[in-house]
Amino acid sequence: MLNIFHSIFFSPGSESVKTINKVSVKAGASVSIPCSYDGKYKNHVKYLCKGYVWSSCTYEIRTDSQRETGKYSISEDKSQRIFTVTIKQLTADDTYYWCAVENNNEADIGQRFLLSVTTGTPILSVADQNVIGYIGEKITINCSYRDSGGVSWCKLGSTCVTVSGNIDAATINTAVSNVISVTMSGLKSESSGWYYCVKRDFQMPVHLTVTVKPSGNQCITTYIDWSNIPTETRKENSSVTPLMILAIPLSVLIFIVIVALSILFVLRGTKRVKNKDSTASKFCCSCQETECEKETTCKRITFLKKPDQSEGKDEDVTYSTIIRHKQ
């Protein structure tokens, strides 16, 4: 029943929906595909359909229902008139898909794209499909390719360049073998959007978000349109919690306190040793010394020893012990 509905109410290859034609991806990886649409479909339902022909196409995910499943996710940026589909855990079965838009009582519109899943090195690839640049600065994006031949740089819905061109002041460098380096200078907020590298009939899309660069002396709140960033990237960013952000300055503060307390204890210990040595020195004086007499009262205790009868002596022997008392 679903296939009959599709064959009657769908217009494939419509110019109202545009997307990438063919992408080379590695098995087990993920890929995000941008789909642009005409402004009159801004409030219409968008969806991803799987299958070579429309008559056998099946819905995988839609914008009017759960936008994320185990394998698929979909997001939409209505201001840019783009919806993005992300396909995870790619296998050889992930080949033909459709970016489609419901057209109410008229024929749905859509555009098909092909995924070439390989266990080896992809024909065309980038390190990250989502990059961030700062207003007024420049950013370099590297596209790696497997075979020889020219590579172009394009903006979704715009033109392509193979050398330094007028796409956001892009400069292309091919000095490194099998790598095309695209440097975009003087970034503006309007520079945000989807771009892609092109080699023959293969493309690799890259999303650029341009924002204000954080300052080290002030706190700047940056608002990023997450609706246009694939779910997988949002999860990676969400792993950075506020507690992790505070961990480093808190550790530094604790270290400073420990060092300060250690220094204080050492100084107090040294002072006690000095006082002890000073006190002990006062008792080294004999009672006959002038200064010592000012601080010490001496008391004489006399002991008498009986005469030694064995020797016939009868005189007394006197022993004295002097005890000093500190005043």
Side-chain angles (χ1 to χ4, degrees):
M1 184 67 180
L2 180 62
N3 292 342
I4 296 175
F5 178 85
H6 283 182
S7 62
I8 296 177
F9 295 99
F10 185 76
S11 176
S14 173
E15 288 297 318
S16 297
V17 177
K18 296 179 181 180
T19 187
I20 302 300
N21 295 325
K22 188 177 181 181
V23 181
S24 178
V25 287
K26 191 173 181 63
S30 302
V31 67
S32 295
I33 305 295
C35 310
S36 64
Y37 56 86
D38 193 277
K40 65 182 179 180
Y41 301 109
K42 180 178 180 179
N43 296 318
H44 290 219
V45 175
K46 287 82 180 179
Y47 59 93
L48 176 69
C49 214
K50 182 178 181 180
Y52 179 74
V53 294
W54 186 248
S55 61
S56 60
C57 174
T58 57
Y59 289 118
E60 295 299 343
I61 198 163
R62 299 163 55 92
T63 57
D64 62 344
S65 58
Q66 184 179 356
R67 295 198 175 193
E68 182 175 357
T69 64
K71 186 176 180 65
Y72 303 98
S73 64
I74 187 170
S75 60
E76 183 177 10
D77 182 356
K78 291 186 177 182
S79 63
Q80 297 289 327
R81 302 194 305 276
I82 292 177
F83 68 97
T84 302
V85 294
T86 299
I87 308 170
K88 300 178 281 290
Q89 301 171 357
L90 293 165
T91 66
D93 185 54
D94 297 305
T95 307
Y96 292 98
Y97 287 91
W98 297 80
C99 290
V101 177
E102 282 192 354
N103 198 13
N104 299 331
N105 296 325
E106 298 182 20
D108 287 0
I109 55 175
Q111 195 65 254
R112 188 178 66 188
F113 63 88
L114 167 65
L115 298 182
S116 176
V117 182
T118 177
T119 56
T121 303
I123 298 294
L124 190 62
S125 63
V126 292
D128 194 342
Q129 276 195 275
N130 297 278
V131 295
I132 296 178
Y134 301 114
I135 294 177
E137 297 190 1
K138 63 181 180 181
I139 189 171
T140 298
I141 301 171
N142 295 322
C143 296
S144 302
Y145 53 94
R146 191 176 66 186
D147 303 323
S148 60
V151 179
S152 302
W153 175 252
C154 312
K155 186 171 185 178
L156 189 65
S158 184
T159 57
C160 301
V161 294
T162 54
V163 292
S164 301
N166 57 1
I167 300 179
D168 295 297
T171 300
I172 296 178
N173 189 322
T174 58
V176 179
S177 178
N178 295 105
V179 175
I180 174 175
S181 296
V182 181
T183 300
M184 300 169 62
S185 306
L187 294 175
K188 305 176 183 178
S189 298
E190 310 87 77
S191 301
S192 297
W194 280 97
Y195 299 80
Y196 57 97
C197 304
V198 181
K199 180 175 176 57
R200 298 198 304 269
D201 56 341
F202 286 94
Q203 299 93 29
M204 174 51 67
V206 179
H207 185 269
L208 171 64
T209 299
V210 179
T211 183
V212 177
K213 185 176 183 178
S215 172
N217 299 323
Q218 55 182 325
C219 180
I220 299 177
T221 302
T222 301
Y223 297 94
I224 299 177
D225 184 5
W226 290 103
S227 63
N228 200 38
I229 305 298
T231 303
E232 188 174 78
T233 302
R234 296 202 300 268
K235 287 184 177 179
E236 292 174 358
N237 290 330
S238 65
S239 63
V240 182
T241 64
L243 184 60
M244 293 173 63
I245 296 175
L246 293 175
I248 294 178
L250 184 60
S251 300
V252 174
L253 178 61
I254 293 174
F255 175 76
I256 293 174
V257 171
I258 292 175
V259 172
L261 290 175
S262 300
I263 294 174
L264 179 61
F265 289 152
V266 171
L267 292 177
R268 291 184 64 182
T270 304
K271 184 176 181 182
R272 283 199 297 268
V273 172
K274 288 183 178 180
N275 289 339
K276 183 177 180 180
D277 293 343
S278 178
T279 302
S281 64
K282 294 179 181 180
F283 291 96
C284 292
C285 301
S286 66
C287 289
Q288 286 74 28
E289 292 178 332
T290 304
E291 292 185 2
C292 191
E293 290 175 355
K294 297 179 183 179
E295 302 178 1
T296 309
T297 300
C298 298
K299 197 177 284 186
R300 183 185 297 274
I301 302 175
T302 304
F303 299 90
L304 296 178
K305 183 180 181 183
K306 292 181 179 182
D308 189 347
Q309 300 298 331
S310 62
E311 298 179 2
K313 297 179 180 180
D314 58 356
E315 67 269 16
D316 294 335
V317 180
T318 302
Y319 294 91
S320 298
T321 300
I322 298 174
I323 302 175
R324 294 178 296 177
H325 296 276
K326 184 181 177 182
Q327 294 181 342

